Amino acid sequence: MANRLPTSVKLLHSAGPIDDLSKASWLNRTSKLESFVASDAWLWSGGTGVLIDSRLLEWMRAPSPKNLVRYYKYWGVEDIFTSITRRPTTRGQLWLNVQGLVDLRNKIAHGDYGAQATRSDVTRHMRGVRTFCERADASLARSIAVELKVLRPW
């Protein structure tokens, strides 16, 4: 099954362990190398195994629209926002809603006392997130089915 995974996903999955391995001194690499082989060899030998989801998201600090586009691109969806919307205005609204939520969250998390989420803000963001997630989920399922040549996984 690994031979059907996009190379971008395999590289992303292996990046952290390889980086850790390269930072270790030459004589202290044995355990890290054994761990890498145990967790990732199947990806590169065409076998089967388990993807560790946290590795695929390790680089993402916030789910900004740019980061979401980057993530879905790993799975063969060129632009997730274009994939899940038909009209440019809908696409723009969805993009701005996701970005607005990330920006508001960052302000609140970093102590900006002027940043507040009103009831209407919360309702609007929940609606936007639900729309994005439902549509992105369907798009990703289609892409994985095509990439891996399997029935839609969910």
Side-chain angles (χ1 to χ4, degrees), residues 62-65 95-126 129:
S64 67
W95 180 288
L96 289 173
N97 193 359
V98 171
Q99 186 63 56
L101 176 60
V102 170
D103 291 344
L104 181 58
R105 177 256 170 230
N106 288 343
K107 287 177 183 176
I108 292 170
H110 294 287
D112 182 344
Y113 295 109
Q116 295 181 16
T118 65
R119 184 179 188 89
S120 65
D121 290 336
V122 171
T123 302
R124 181 172 37 84
H125 288 310
M126 284 175 53
V129 168

Side-chain angles (χ1 to χ4, degrees), residues 43-106:
L43 285 170
W44 304 102
S45 64
T48 59
V50 176
L51 288 174
I52 300 168
D53 58 344
S54 60
R55 288 196 200 169
L56 301 176
L57 294 168
E58 212 168 283
W59 58 271
M60 190 183 299
R61 299 293 174 241
S64 67
K66 283 183 178 182
N67 284 343
L68 292 170
V69 168
R70 176 182 169 190
Y71 177 75
Y72 283 92
K73 197 176 283 194
Y74 287 122
W75 290 99
V77 180
E78 190 60 33
D79 178 352
I80 189 62
F81 287 90
T82 299
S83 171
I84 65 173
T85 57
R86 291 189 182 144
R87 297 186 331 219
T89 54
T90 305
R91 187 173 314 124
Q93 288 171 341
L94 192 54
W95 180 288
L96 289 173
N97 193 359
V98 171
Q99 186 63 56
L101 176 60
V102 170
D103 291 344
L104 181 58
R105 177 256 170 230
N106 288 343

Side-chain angles (χ1 to χ4, degrees), residues 11 14-24 29 32 36 58:
L11 288 168
S14 297
I18 290 174
D19 288 346
D20 288 345
L21 181 62
S22 69
K23 292 174 187 171
R29 291 184 177 179
K32 290 188 182 294
F36 173 74
E58 212 168 283

